Structures are given as C-alpha cells and as structure tokens.
Amino acid sequence: MEELTPRQVLERLVAFPTVSRDSNLALVDWLEGYLTGHGIECHRHWNEDRQKAALMAHAGPRVEGAVVLSGHSDVVPVDGQDWTTDPWTVVERNGRLYGRGTCDMKGYVALSIWALVRAQKMGVRRPVQLALSYDEEVGCTGAPPMIETMGKVLPKGAAALIGEPSNMKIITGHKGGTGFHVHVKGFEVHSSLLPYGVSAIMEGARLIGWVNDRNAEIQAREPTPIAATFYPPFTTLHVGMISGGTAHNITAADCRFAVEMRVVPGEDVEAHARTFEAEAARMDALLRAQRPEAGVHLERFFGVPALVPEADGEAEAIARRLTGDNATGVVSYGTEAGQFQEAGYSAIVCGPGDIAQAHQPDEYLEVSEFEAGQRFMERLLAECA
Ligand SMILES: [Zn+2]
C-alpha cells in the first residue's frame, strides 16, 4: 500500500465531515484500511448505537510501555459560520492550511498516523500506539470507554501525548469539570395565592444562591500551589443560562438552568458534583413536602477529571526531549489527558496550532506548526527506534 505524506493524510481526514452529532465511520473505515494495509494492528471501540467508533492501533513489538498518540476524530459544526473556503477541503493560503479540524485536531492526528506507519516500517524497539476517540467535542464522553477497551485489547501503553493545539508547548495541567442541567418543577397557582403554589423560579433562585455562596466560600480560601498556577487560581461554579415561567402573575411551573463547574487539579470533580447533588436533593425533599408535583431534577451532561502536573512524569520528559521546551504551562480548557492520567498513564498535552483557531470559521493551522509537529514525530521515531 502507498505511504501517504502527513499533508496527504490531513487532506483525507478533513474531507470526512465528522461533526460530533454525525457518524465517524467513513473516516474510521478508511483509516483502519490504511493502517492494516501497512501491517498495523487495529481495534475498534463502538458506541452504543454503533454509529461511531474509536480506533486504537499498535505499531512495533507487541510489548507494554508504548508511547500513545491521542486525538479525537470529531469536529464542531460549521452551521451558521461564515467560511470563505470549503471547510471540508484543505486549502493552503498565506502559509496556512484552512479547513475544519486542521487545528482541532486532525493536524496532529494526521501526523500521528504518519508516525505509526513509519514506526511499523522502521521496526521500532518501543511501540507507538494511536488512540482516536469520538465525542470529544460534546464533553469528552468517548475517551473513557475507549481507554478501558484499549487496556484489554492492546499491551498497556505508558505515556500518552494528547495533541490538542498548544503551539507545541507542553501543557502539564488543566482544570477538570462537570455540568448539570437542572429542572426545578413548581406548582402553578395565581400569584395572589402564592403560599399554596410553588414558584419554580423562586426555588431555583435559592439553588443559584447556593452556587454563589459556594464560589464565595471557595475564593475566600488560600489557593494551593497547583491552583495558584491557574487563572483564576480556584474552582469556579457557573450558571450560564436560565428559562422559566409563563406570566408575571402565575407561580412558575418550570425553571431550567445549567450549572457548570471548572475544578482545579488536586480537587476531586466527583466530590464537587456530589456536594451539589446533595444540596439539590435537600431542596427536592423540601419542595415535594409542599406539593408532590414539585421537585428538583438533575441531569449530568459531562464530567472530565483535571490533568494533575506529575512529579517526574514520563510523558513530560519525552515531550521535553522532543520539543526542547523547558517551560511548564497549564490551561483552563479540559482535554482527554486527564482521562488518560486517571486510567494510569503518564499524560501531557502538546500539539500543533493555536487553540484560538479552534471552532472558528476559517479555522486554520499554520504550515510552520504542522512542520514543527512533523519534526516532533521524527524525533519520537528516532527515540523509539
Ligand atoms: Zn480538540
């Protein structure tokens, strides 16, 4: 089978419109065919309705300790965005590669695929694995089951390099997070009869008040040394949207809002989630006691662990040797790195491109960044040889 250049792989990947809401199987079918055609072992992890699959691949000797190159196959939609080029075709202009996903993160994925084929052909001593997930853009929900499957079907890897755009800088920490859709159910009466009904809005306001109190309590504490490297240096809880009510003189039957938490490394995302769930349950009991129709319902919509900076982490050491970057960086966006770390891998984030271009119309990756990414992979291959 013909060996494609990184640029040719990128062109193939961008041509598959793998928006998170749609199937990614056309891309996975092509990629599995391409990799197996080069003698590389591949496995799939399917989602529940089998409309999407993660692809895991292993190049080199079938032993533990691989370097794992990790990326996501899905991209955000282009609906309503003003593009001056076809988003599903890579167009080079003024030293930039335009196209949906070039930056976030098919550029890195293309380089990883190229590196795996090279590793297989060279006959490396240390194996290199590819972990390509789905549903990253809808809350990193695809990676945990993929990582679990990967541990069963492939020799366990050691260091995971997650290529989210960081301008090839090494990111050793990021916040974790979770979110809840909240539905407060009230009971409608005329507002003149207020004590006999339940206003979902007024009760919802109490829960939002609790969120404000939590923020004040958290921010009053001295930040830990890890937290102090973040901006802002603490966990934040946020309500970003709210709806409810039908008229000024009717107690609201419904109030809906979303609570999102961004949790600094060193604090447990699940512990923050449980604290909120306990408060919602307490309010739920109070409202039910007033009217059986009333209550508080929660729906969790994502949960991502923080990436904790590691003391003497192997992923960081590898990335430092490959990039020469000696600085440490943290970011406030979540990635799959925290999920790999939670599963026992050493993990960092390092990839070509600027996160500012992610999700934008006319998304692009600088050619110079793509080339820096290729040098990174070439050095990795030399190290694994
Ligand atoms: Zn991404």
Side-chain angles (χ1 to χ4, degrees):
M1 182 174 278
E2 189 202 353
E3 193 177 338
L4 302 176
T5 64
R7 174 68 178 270
Q8 287 171 326
V9 179
L10 177 62
E11 284 166 1
R12 298 287 177 104
L13 296 178
V14 170
F16 295 106
T18 47
V19 175
S20 309
R21 63 176 176 238
D22 300 323
S23 170
N24 71 344
L25 293 182
L27 184 156
V28 170
D29 287 346
W30 172 78
L31 179 55
E32 190 172 24
Y34 179 68
L35 292 174
T36 53
H38 287 284
I40 294 172
E41 176 183 354
C42 291
H43 298 271
R44 290 185 185 200
H45 173 84
W46 294 89
N47 76 339
E48 253 168 46
D49 62 9
R50 291 178 81 87
Q51 290 307 300
K52 297 173 193 170
L55 194 73
M56 297 149 281
H58 181 101
R62 219 174 181 292
V63 295
E64 295 196 345
V67 176
V68 182
L69 306 175
S70 152
H72 56 83
S73 62
D74 57 324
V75 294
V76 296
V78 296
D79 314 70
Q81 292 189 336
D82 199 9
W83 281 73
T84 55
T85 60
D86 172 13
W88 312 114
T89 304
V90 176
V91 175
E92 181 171 351
R93 214 171 52 195
N94 305 324
R96 294 169 172 176
L97 302 169
Y98 287 89
R100 171 55 87 225
T102 49
C103 175
D104 182 17
M105 60 182 289
K106 289 177 172 174
Y108 181 82
V109 172
L111 293 165
S112 303
I113 293 164
W114 175 80
L116 243 74
V117 173
R118 286 275 80 222
Q120 185 74 8
K121 295 218 158 161
M122 287 165 56
V124 283
R125 171 187 49 81
R126 182 175 189 176
V128 182
Q129 294 179 343
L130 172 73
L132 184 66
S133 70
Y134 55 84
D135 284 353
E136 193 271 351
E137 297 290 3
V138 292
C140 295
T141 54
M146 170 190 74
I147 295 168
E148 201 190 325
T149 300
M150 200 165 170
K152 291 178 190 151
V153 298
L154 288 177
K156 179 86 194 275
L161 310 177
I162 289 80
E164 289 286 345
S166 73
N167 291 108
M168 297 311 293
K169 297 277 178 253
I170 300 168
I171 307 297
T172 57
H174 64 63
K175 288 188 180 181
T178 189
F180 290 93
H181 292 300
V182 184
H183 180 194
V184 181
K185 289 187 75 179
F187 185 75
E188 279 184 323
V189 294
H190 191 269
S191 60
S192 62
L193 301 170
L194 179 63
Y196 313 110
V198 174
S199 165
I201 293 176
M202 294 169 79
E203 299 304 329
R206 286 190 218 272
L207 201 50
I208 295 171
W210 179 91
V211 168
N212 283 321
D213 291 346
R214 280 292 288 161
N215 278 327
E217 195 184 299
I218 290 166
Q219 290 170 32
R221 293 199 297 254
E222 198 60 36
T224 62
I226 296 175
T229 61
F230 284 85
Y231 179 79
F234 38 72
T235 294
T236 52
L237 285 71
H238 172 248
V239 178
M241 52 196 218
I242 185 165
S243 66
T246 51
H248 72 90
N249 56 359
I250 301 174
T251 58
D254 299 285
C255 177
R256 291 184 169 85
F257 54 93
V259 176
E260 166 226 68
M261 308 177 184
R262 299 199 173 260
V263 178
V264 289
E267 290 179 17
D268 184 2
V269 173
E270 295 309 311
H272 278 282
R274 281 194 299 272
T275 310
F276 178 67
E277 283 166 345
E279 178 60 17
R282 193 186 68 82
M283 278 203 54
D284 180 64
L286 287 176
L287 298 191
R288 276 175 203 283
Q290 286 175 52
R291 296 288 323 193
E293 299 86 348
V296 180
H297 301 265
L298 299 184
E299 191 195 322
R300 184 96 177 257
F301 64 90
F302 76 104
V304 188
L307 175 66
V308 186
E310 300 165 12
D312 302 320
E314 204 211 352
E316 182 180 342
I318 293 172
R320 292 215 184 287
R321 288 196 296 274
L322 303 184
T323 62
D325 179 18
N326 285 317
T328 42
V330 297
V331 291
S332 39
Y333 56 86
T335 76
E336 296 173 344
Q339 295 167 324
F340 272 95
Q341 189 179 58
E342 195 173 59
Y345 294 78
S346 173
I348 54 108
V349 177
C350 181
D354 189 332
I355 190 71
Q357 264 80 57
H359 306 188
Q360 298 297 311
D362 285 344
E363 174 180 349
Y364 66 84
L365 176 64
E366 300 272 0
V367 172
S368 60
E369 284 288 310
F370 196 48
E371 288 168 350
Q374 186 168 349
R375 285 195 296 278
F376 179 91
M377 294 298 176
E378 283 164 354
R379 291 191 193 117
L380 174 69
L381 290 167
E383 192 168 305
C384 293

